[in-house]
Amino acid sequence: GYKCVYTAKSGKTTSWKQKVTKGKTYYYYVVTIYPNGKTEASQTVAQIYPKTSKEKVHTIKGMEDIGVGSQYNGNWATSDRVYYYELSGKMHVVCAGENCVTDYTLNSKGNVSSKKTIKIKYERWGGFYKGTDGKFYVAVGYNNPKESSKKTVIKVIQYTNKWKKLKTASIKGGASNAFEGIYIPFDAGNCTMAMNGNELYLFTAREMFMRPDGLHHQSNISFRINTKTMKAKEANESYVSHSFNQYVKYKDGDLYLLDHGDAYPRSLCLTAVKDSDTNHRASYESNFFPFIQGENGEHYNYTGCTVGGMEVGNKNILICGASVPHENKVKGVTGAGTNYKKNVYVVIVNRETGKSKIKWLTSYHPLKTTTIVGNTRMVKLAEDRYAILYSTKKNDVETVHYLVINNAGKKIYSKSYKGMSFSGGTQPMLYKGNLVWVEEKGGFDYESMQYVYSTNLYQIPAITEKK
């Protein structure tokens, strides 16, 4: 969505002023013009102008049971089923349902003003993505019990922002990444998408065709999709098995892939592909936060770690999550196992070298604390400001924590909100200067003998500094 806003025609020094709206983040880049051509775009810079507001909890009127839950199902992540986007100044909530997608439009009071339901037949939910081209992309999947190489197992359906169906990319069961086949798509992992120009990158996981040992092993798998033709081709710049969570981001044309690896490697794994490499070869693969086996002989799939987000700045890639210590001391304690409690971490990875550094953002004693740390999520507020949201529970009291760090992982601002709820089951959105998300509340009502649900809209101000 970039457009030229200013051209400097002469002079050694120049300036330009813009009228801005509080609560929005503005991104800029520059190019230099020469008589025989122009340079490539510079790295982007960005700034948010905070808007003064207060935290708020509002029960949304007109929204049905949307099923917001935890991001992690046991040891692995699952695809989000609720998403947010802004269009014409209004907030939309997109929910994956049974063979359908419902798009709710919220009014200025935070209630449903209209909704649209789009029918899609599928067996496995993948994900929703609002592309940088303004179009919508929906990924759905189909099980492949007969291990057919010709059966369509993943569809990526392209829509206008009015939900008019355009083209569909079809991915067959014979697709491979080191090993052949998609037996179950989106299995034991999630599905994320990102765009660079006219290319949509889909990053997910699959259960592969049966191997000689009689098992259907799991790994990551990825595809590049031409959004003009909606033709898909295998990408697979990285191979991680098992891969329990996948994130994909572009920055200045460079591609970054993050896996939560359980076996090969048994650590977090970041793969970088430079825009200058037309063959899409990885410029580096960085493995960090290695997982040690628990002392009590837990099942091999146990890692004691979750990943809640990845964002890319000009110098570093930031990754947040919650984990037991493993080899990284908290209060002098190392180790792993179900008797260890989690803390919130951030990993800072140098974009050029892939060298990483781990910082703990909380310091609860891994063996003595009674505080339970939930899932995390990250929202990029500006080029040097990143918000991390997570919740803690102690004595059945839940507290939501809002933390802002810079590109070096240094804490800039923090605030806690008692009585709020944050499961980490959806990716919060920056909307009109606030971080917003929804949570579902309810349970079985014995008086009416039925389940009663309400959906709450949560809002906290996206403050970036103490002053």
Side-chain angles (χ1 to χ4, degrees):
Y2 285 99
K3 64 179 180 179
C4 182
V5 292
Y6 178 70
T7 301
K9 296 182 178 179
S10 64
K12 293 181 179 179
T13 304
T14 187
S15 64
W16 170 72
K17 291 182 179 181
Q18 178 185 10
K19 185 177 180 181
V20 298
T21 301
K22 289 184 177 181
K24 287 190 175 183
T25 304
Y26 292 84
Y27 294 85
Y28 304 90
Y29 68 82
V30 298
V31 294
T32 305
I33 309 296
Y34 294 101
N36 59 347
K38 63 181 181 180
T39 64
E40 295 293 327
S42 71
Q43 289 186 335
T44 54
V45 295
Q47 182 62 52
I48 183 175
Y49 297 89
K51 180 180 180 181
T52 302
S53 58
K54 293 183 178 181
E55 65 271 19
K56 183 179 179 181
V57 182
H58 168 73
T59 300
I60 303 174
K61 295 180 181 178
M63 188 169 286
E64 302 159 2
D65 173 15
I66 60 176
V68 179
S70 175
Q71 180 192 15
Y72 272 78
N73 180 12
N75 292 317
W76 54 83
T78 58
S79 291
D80 293 353
R81 299 188 70 88
V82 176
Y83 307 79
Y84 318 110
Y85 72 90
E86 181 181 354
L87 186 64
S88 301
K90 294 184 178 180
M91 179 178 172
H92 289 249
V93 182
V94 176
C95 306
E98 185 175 348
N99 287 319
C100 70
V101 172
T102 302
D103 187 336
Y104 296 92
T105 304
L106 304 188
N107 59 24
S108 59
K109 295 182 179 180
N111 296 319
V112 176
S113 60
S114 64
K115 73 174 185 177
K116 186 176 183 66
T117 298
I118 302 88
K119 293 183 179 180
I120 308 173
K121 289 186 178 181
Y122 65 88
E123 296 174 334
R124 309 276 300 186
W125 173 252
F128 166 83
Y129 176 69
K130 181 176 182 252
T132 53
D133 57 359
K135 295 183 176 67
F136 298 156
Y137 295 89
V138 175
V140 293
Y142 309 88
N143 296 326
N144 191 9
K146 295 182 179 180
E147 298 190 357
S148 168
S149 61
K150 296 182 179 180
K151 179 181 178 178
T152 296
V153 293
I154 294 176
K155 286 183 180 179
V156 182
I157 310 169
Q158 182 189 61
Y159 297 88
T160 68
N161 60 20
K162 300 295 183 183
W163 288 103
K164 178 183 177 182
K165 187 176 178 181
L166 298 174
K167 298 178 180 179
T168 300
S170 297
I171 296 169
K172 305 298 183 181
S176 65
N177 183 14
F179 298 99
E180 182 189 8
I182 300 178
Y183 179 66
I184 301 176
F186 314 125
D187 186 56
N190 67 343
C191 174
T192 56
M193 291 174 269
M195 277 189 73
N196 181 40
N198 294 325
E199 189 169 74
L200 175 71
Y201 200 102
L202 183 142
F203 194 32
T204 186
R206 51 86 194 237
E207 197 170 324
M208 62 185 71
F209 288 174
M210 185 180 292
R211 301 297 299 150
D213 60 5
L215 299 175
H216 294 276
H217 293 282
Q218 188 265 14
S219 80
N220 62 1
I221 195 166
S222 56
F223 302 90
R224 293 176 182 266
I225 301 170
N226 185 311
T227 57
K228 295 295 184 182
T229 63
M230 290 303 288
K231 299 294 184 182
K233 61 181 180 180
E234 294 175 11
N236 300 331
E237 285 81 2
S238 72
Y239 177 78
V240 174
S241 172
H242 310 120
S243 177
F244 286 164
N245 202 343
Q246 301 81 32
Y247 282 91
V248 55
K249 294 287 182 180
Y250 279 102
K251 171 68 173 173
D252 302 321
D254 296 339
L255 172 69
Y256 299 93
L257 304 167
L258 175 68
D259 288 272
H260 175 177
D262 167 54
Y264 304 101
R266 189 164 161 78
S267 66
L268 302 185
C269 178
L270 177 72
T271 303
V273 181
K274 295 297 182 182
D275 181 46
S276 57
D277 193 331
T278 56
N279 294 317
H280 306 309
R281 293 170 299 192
S283 59
Y284 63 77
E285 185 176 277
S286 178
N287 299 332
F288 44 83
F289 214 122
F291 305 135
I292 60 176
Q293 188 68 27
E295 294 180 0
N296 298 323
E298 287 83 7
H299 189 273
Y300 184 63
N301 288 154
Y302 170 81
T303 65
C305 180
T306 65
V307 182
M310 175 179 72
E311 292 292 349
V312 187
N314 281 336
K315 294 182 179 180
N316 298 320
I317 302 113
L318 299 179
I319 297 151
C320 76
S323 181
V324 300
H326 289 285
E327 297 175 343
N328 310 290
K329 290 183 180 180
V330 182
K331 297 288 188 182
V333 177
T334 60
T338 54
N339 57 322
Y340 287 78
K341 299 297 191 298
K342 294 176 181 176
N343 277 279
V344 178
Y345 67 84
V346 61
V347 181
I348 305 99
V349 185
N350 185 283
R351 283 183 64 185
E352 293 301 317
T353 66
K355 292 183 178 180
S356 62
K357 179 170 57 176
I358 298 171
K359 288 186 176 182
W360 291 108
L361 299 178
T362 62
S363 55
Y364 301 108
H365 195 287
L367 294 173
K368 297 179 180 179
T369 186
T370 57
T371 299
I372 305 299
V373 174
N375 288 319
T376 65
R377 291 280 184 157
M378 181 185 291
V379 179
K380 186 175 183 178
L381 303 177
E383 207 60 59
D384 195 38
R385 292 294 182 269
Y386 305 82
I388 296 175
L389 279 178
Y390 65 97
S391 67
T392 57
K393 184 172 286 188
K394 184 175 183 178
N395 299 326
D396 291 327
V397 176
E398 185 174 8
T399 302
V400 174
H401 303 269
Y402 170 78
L403 181 65
V404 178
I405 60 176
N406 65 13
N407 200 233
K410 180 182 178 182
K411 291 183 185 181
I412 303 297
Y413 178 84
S414 64
K415 189 171 182 179
S416 299
Y417 300 90
K418 279 191 176 181
M420 281 193 155
S421 180
F422 181 73
S423 68
T426 70
Q427 174 62 36
M429 181 178 73
L430 180 62
Y431 177 66
K432 294 187 176 180
N434 299 292
L435 290 186
V436 294
W437 69 96
V438 298
E439 295 286 345
E440 192 172 73
K441 293 293 183 182
F444 191 78
D445 181 24
Y446 287 95
E447 186 172 335
S448 62
M449 296 303 292
Q450 62 182 359
Y451 285 95
V452 178
Y453 293 94
S454 66
T455 302
N456 291 339
L457 177 67
Y458 291 83
Q459 165 189 309
I460 59 175
I463 300 170
T464 57
E465 316 283 342
K466 290 184 179 179
K467 176 67 174 177

